[in-house]
Amino acid sequence: MVNRNLLRQFDLPEAELQRQLQDAFYQEDTGGSLETWLPVEEQEFEANKIVKGRVLNIVGDDVVVDVGYKSEGVIKLEEWYDEGLDKVVPPQPGQEIQVLLDSVEDESGAIVLSYRKAKRQKEWETIIEKHKEGDVVSGAVTRKIKGGLLVNIGVNVFLPASQVDIRRPPDIGDYIGKTIECKILKIDEARRNIVVSRRKLIEDQREEMKKKLLNEIEPGQVRKGVVKNIAEFGAFVDLGGIDGLLHITDMSWGRISNPHEVVHIDQQLEVYIISVDKDKEKIALGLKQKTQSPWMNVEARYPIGSRHSGEVVNVMSYGAFVKLEPGIEGLVHISEMSWTKRINHPSELVSIGDQIEVQVLNINKEKQEISLGMKQVQPNPWDKVAERYPPGTVITGTVRNLTNYGAFIEIEEGIDGLLHVSDMSWVRKVSHPSEVVAKGDKVTCVVLNVDQERKRVALGLKQMASDPWEGDIPGRYHPGDLKKGKVTKLTNFGVFVELEPGLEGLLHISELADDKVESPEEVVKVGDDIEVKVLRVEPKDRKIGLSRKNLYGGPEPEEETGEAGPRPPRELRGGTGSSGGQLFSMPETAQEKK
């Protein structure tokens, strides 16, 4: 049980107790008192709060920090890593710092502090106080992460790859280490995330510049620009707010196969404004327009008929382009390459890079076209064809080609003559030249005619022998002669009979039999061997008329006309013609002449 008398004996009034404590803690040298010996707690020790602390010591990799709590905190030295210097900058003992109270007590009962987290939180709070969405910020690109870049503007913010530039660069890693300006797109305070865009900033700036540029720009001006992109057809040049197209054809007066031959990315250029479409915001640019066109006074430098040396710069199926000077090219058509050679493709004669001599054939200044010729600088073999091959000259050549109307015979390289079907045989009816000659055959012919202007030579094969119709055939075939032959063709007007190889006569339908015949098929068929009588031979028309009437009898009886006076000669049908009319007239008899 409590001895209250004892307590009452030692109990001191409040004022006395305070005086005795003050005397006990008083220090003459520092003037200290009870209040300074037990300081009042000014900081709140709650988790995730920033508190002030003092570095007591550095022990190995640990930094001991006193925050005025009942125990000191320990922070790893690596939290003082400086990204800019890429090394750890340790604090000094006694240095006052701000740290984040992660936890008042961990599993071991010690306070948990973080210097890095406190620093980041203060930086975040500073950024939030200074900036809002839409503000322009500047920072250094620190590293590349998935989907974009990290930019340090006081805190690390995210720059998506799609927002790095207007046109996405091939490698966004090229921006690492560079200081760039961006526009804040979004701030997420809960997650402490900031998304920025360099592209948005550039687009906004370009929009302002574009409006100003479109108000000022006019065709004919010369302006500075930067090559931003290169395509097969040309280059896009940033004029400051808007891109103009520098087409490949407007880069140089000369031939360009690839825009990279003239320009490169980020190249500074002075360009000529060809045209401006302010509604569609399209600008056509040129480089060559800054210099005089080489086509000016081209007629004076390259008069028609003049000869020049040039370089083959392109070969097409229809001809070759020859550069006479930078910006001036002419076309040598395939037909103007050789007088005599048959050329299937210009590459058979020329190649890119060849130096050749040409002659100017024609100039179209409006279309900027020059027609050139290669063969014109060489002697024309046709100029002496008539002299070398006068009519009557016997030549031997090779059958080069066959057509429906004849065969082309190569007399010499590049000089062909035509052997027409009508000049292949005196007696044989030739329907196609293949019946007489074949491609590649060696044929001996005679020159019939030379048309030097039209570059044509007429040849004859039958003219190599005398015309049998001038003596041989009339000497062996006489009216009234009986001959044997073979039916070769039936027509509605008669039958063709081969009397000997190459010689045919016409047996008219009216002469097929003594009786009237409606159709030749009633009497004969192709291939039949028959006997016929020669009615008439006409050397001039090269025709023989035949008959099967009264083969072995005497002369046909003459018909009475019942009229006085001479009778007109009786018309005989027959011959080798294709018509069904009467071909020959019978000579008058002695009685008729009276």
Side-chain angles (χ1 to χ4, degrees):
M1 127 168 239
V2 178
N3 189 341
R4 297 185 180 278
N5 293 325
L6 183 62
L7 289 174
R8 199 176 291 112
Q9 179 182 351
F10 289 99
D11 191 15
L12 294 175
E14 182 66 27
E16 181 63 22
L17 179 61
Q18 288 295 331
R19 186 187 65 76
Q20 291 187 17
L21 288 173
Q22 184 72 20
D23 292 340
F25 286 100
Y26 177 76
Q27 298 177 3
E28 293 184 1
D29 54 344
T30 62
S33 62
L34 179 63
E35 289 76 9
T36 58
W37 184 263
L38 295 174
V40 179
E41 292 185 358
E42 296 179 354
Q43 302 190 107
E44 296 182 2
F45 294 97
E46 296 179 8
N48 295 321
K49 292 287 185 178
I50 293 178
V51 296
K52 293 181 180 180
R54 183 165 57 89
V55 177
L56 296 179
N57 197 6
I58 298 176
V59 180
D61 292 333
D62 295 329
V63 177
V64 181
V65 179
D66 178 20
V67 294
Y69 195 61
K70 61 184 179 180
S71 63
E72 291 84 7
V74 177
I75 304 174
K76 289 294 183 182
L77 184 60
E78 63 184 22
E79 293 199 16
W80 273 263
Y81 173 77
D82 190 317
E83 292 182 355
L85 299 176
D86 193 24
K87 65 178 182 178
V88 174
V89 180
Q92 299 298 319
Q95 180 179 342
E96 291 189 355
I97 60 174
Q98 288 185 324
V99 293
L100 182 72
L101 183 59
D102 263 349
S103 176
V104 177
E105 290 185 1
D106 62 5
E107 296 177 354
S108 60
I111 191 171
V112 180
L113 306 175
S114 174
Y115 173 74
R116 180 187 295 145
K117 291 181 179 180
K119 181 180 179 184
R120 288 179 178 175
Q121 184 168 318
K122 292 297 290 184
E123 290 172 345
W124 171 260
E125 292 172 354
T126 301
I127 291 295
I128 294 301
E129 290 175 3
K130 291 173 59 178
H131 300 293
K132 62 183 181 300
E133 292 180 357
D135 286 357
V136 176
V137 293
S138 177
V141 179
T142 57
R143 58 194 174 99
K144 180 178 178 181
I145 60 174
K146 183 179 180 180
L149 299 171
L150 284 183
V151 182
N152 192 324
I153 63 170
V155 296
N156 282 332
V157 297
F158 179 57
L159 173 61
S162 62
Q163 301 297 316
V164 172
D165 206 338
I166 294 176
R167 297 181 183 88
R168 184 166 177 170
D171 184 9
I172 60 174
D174 294 339
Y175 284 84
I176 295 175
K178 294 182 179 179
T179 299
I180 59 175
E181 285 189 332
C182 303
K183 178 169 283 192
I184 297 176
L185 293 183
K186 184 178 180 182
I187 297 176
D188 188 340
E189 295 190 32
R191 297 184 179 181
R192 294 186 179 180
N193 287 335
I194 297 179
V195 179
V196 296
S197 172
R198 180 171 177 267
R199 174 179 176 174
K200 176 65 175 172
L201 176 63
I202 295 174
E203 287 176 343
D204 291 347
Q205 292 173 344
R206 285 175 62 85
E207 186 63 28
E208 293 298 322
M209 295 169 66
K210 180 174 68 176
K211 291 179 182 178
K212 180 181 179 182
L213 180 65
L214 288 174
N215 288 331
E216 300 174 351
I217 196 166
E218 294 293 341
Q221 296 177 348
V222 175
R223 286 184 170 266
K224 292 182 179 181
V226 180
V227 178
K228 287 299 181 183
N229 195 24
I230 298 176
E232 291 181 0
F233 54 85
F236 291 94
V237 181
D238 184 3
L239 300 175
I242 189 171
D243 288 353
L245 174 61
L246 175 59
H247 198 272
I248 187 172
T249 57
D250 291 310
M251 289 184 175
S252 172
W253 293 110
R255 176 181 293 271
I256 299 174
S257 58
N258 191 310
H260 288 89
E261 299 173 13
V262 180
V263 296
H264 57 81
I265 298 294
D266 294 331
Q267 181 179 355
Q268 299 277 344
L269 291 178
E270 276 193 350
V271 290
Y272 180 86
I273 310 300
I274 298 175
S275 64
V276 179
D277 187 334
K278 295 186 178 181
D279 294 332
K280 295 182 179 180
E281 298 182 355
K282 291 184 177 181
I283 302 175
L285 308 175
L287 281 177
K288 70 181 185 181
Q289 288 78 3
K290 295 194 301 177
T291 59
Q292 187 181 36
S293 170
W295 287 91
M296 294 292 292
N297 303 320
V298 68
E299 303 97 328
R301 301 198 305 280
Y302 301 99
I304 294 176
S306 60
R307 296 184 178 185
H308 306 273
S309 178
E311 179 186 355
V312 178
V313 293
N314 198 17
V315 178
M316 306 296 290
S317 59
Y318 53 84
F321 288 92
V322 179
K323 183 175 72 174
L324 302 176
E325 65 175 77
I328 299 292
E329 293 180 7
L331 172 64
V332 180
H333 194 268
I334 189 171
S335 62
E336 304 294 344
M337 289 188 166
S338 175
W339 291 113
T340 58
K341 291 183 179 179
R342 289 177 292 275
I343 306 169
N344 296 318
H345 195 277
S347 59
E348 297 173 13
L349 291 183
V350 296
S351 301
I352 294 177
D354 287 354
Q355 291 288 332
I356 61 173
E357 186 179 5
V358 292
Q359 181 171 311
V360 179
L361 305 181
N362 190 33
I363 296 177
N364 188 329
K365 188 176 179 180
E366 292 182 1
K367 294 184 177 180
Q368 296 185 354
E369 295 175 347
I370 297 181
S371 297
L372 304 174
M374 290 170 55
K375 67 184 184 182
Q376 286 76 8
V377 300
Q378 302 294 331
N380 185 357
W382 279 98
D383 292 342
K384 297 185 178 181
V385 167
E387 180 183 333
R388 295 201 306 274
Y389 302 103
T393 304
V394 177
I395 60 96
T396 298
T398 303
V399 178
R400 186 179 62 83
N401 195 21
L402 299 179
T403 67
N404 291 331
Y405 52 85
F408 285 94
I409 312 296
E410 186 178 51
I411 301 173
E412 62 178 64
E413 186 180 13
I415 304 294
D416 289 349
L418 174 62
L419 175 59
H420 197 270
V421 289
S422 62
D423 291 311
M424 289 186 174
S425 174
W426 288 113
V427 296
R428 183 177 175 183
K429 185 179 180 181
V430 181
S431 300
H432 193 275
S434 59
E435 300 172 12
V436 180
V437 296
K439 190 174 181 180
D441 286 355
K442 289 286 186 181
V443 180
T444 299
C445 306
V446 63
V447 176
L448 302 181
N449 184 41
V450 177
D451 187 339
Q452 190 160 296
E453 184 178 345
R454 299 170 68 185
K455 296 182 176 61
R456 293 180 179 177
V457 177
L459 303 175
L461 183 60
K462 69 183 184 182
Q463 288 81 359
M464 294 294 293
S466 60
D467 186 353
W469 284 96
E470 292 181 357
D472 180 48
I473 292 176
R476 292 187 292 111
Y477 292 85
H478 305 93
D481 290 351
L482 294 179
K483 300 288 183 181
K484 290 184 178 180
K486 179 176 289 189
V487 176
T488 59
K489 186 179 181 181
L490 302 180
T491 69
N492 60 350
F493 56 84
V495 178
F496 285 95
V497 180
E498 185 180 50
L499 302 173
E500 60 183 66
L503 180 62
E504 291 181 342
L506 174 63
L507 179 59
H508 196 269
I509 190 172
S510 63
E511 301 292 337
L512 269 174
D514 293 331
D515 300 326
K516 185 177 181 180
V517 177
E518 296 294 335
S519 175
E521 288 86 350
E522 299 175 5
V523 181
V524 295
K525 60 181 181 294
V526 174
D528 286 356
D529 291 322
I530 61 174
E531 191 172 14
V532 294
K533 180 169 59 177
V534 179
L535 287 182
R536 185 166 183 171
V537 179
E538 288 199 15
K540 183 178 180 181
D541 294 329
R542 302 174 186 277
K543 296 176 181 178
I544 297 179
L546 306 174
S547 176
R548 294 187 72 193
K549 284 184 176 182
N550 195 21
L551 281 177
Y552 304 105
E556 295 181 0
E558 298 175 346
E559 298 179 359
E560 295 294 336
T561 63
E563 296 179 357
R567 297 170 56 188
R570 182 167 62 90
E571 297 292 340
L572 287 182
R573 298 178 177 88
T576 57
S578 60
S579 66
Q582 296 175 340
L583 300 179
F584 307 116
S585 297
M586 287 294 292
E588 296 178 344
T589 64
Q591 184 177 356
E592 290 171 338
K593 291 180 180 178
K594 290 181 180 180

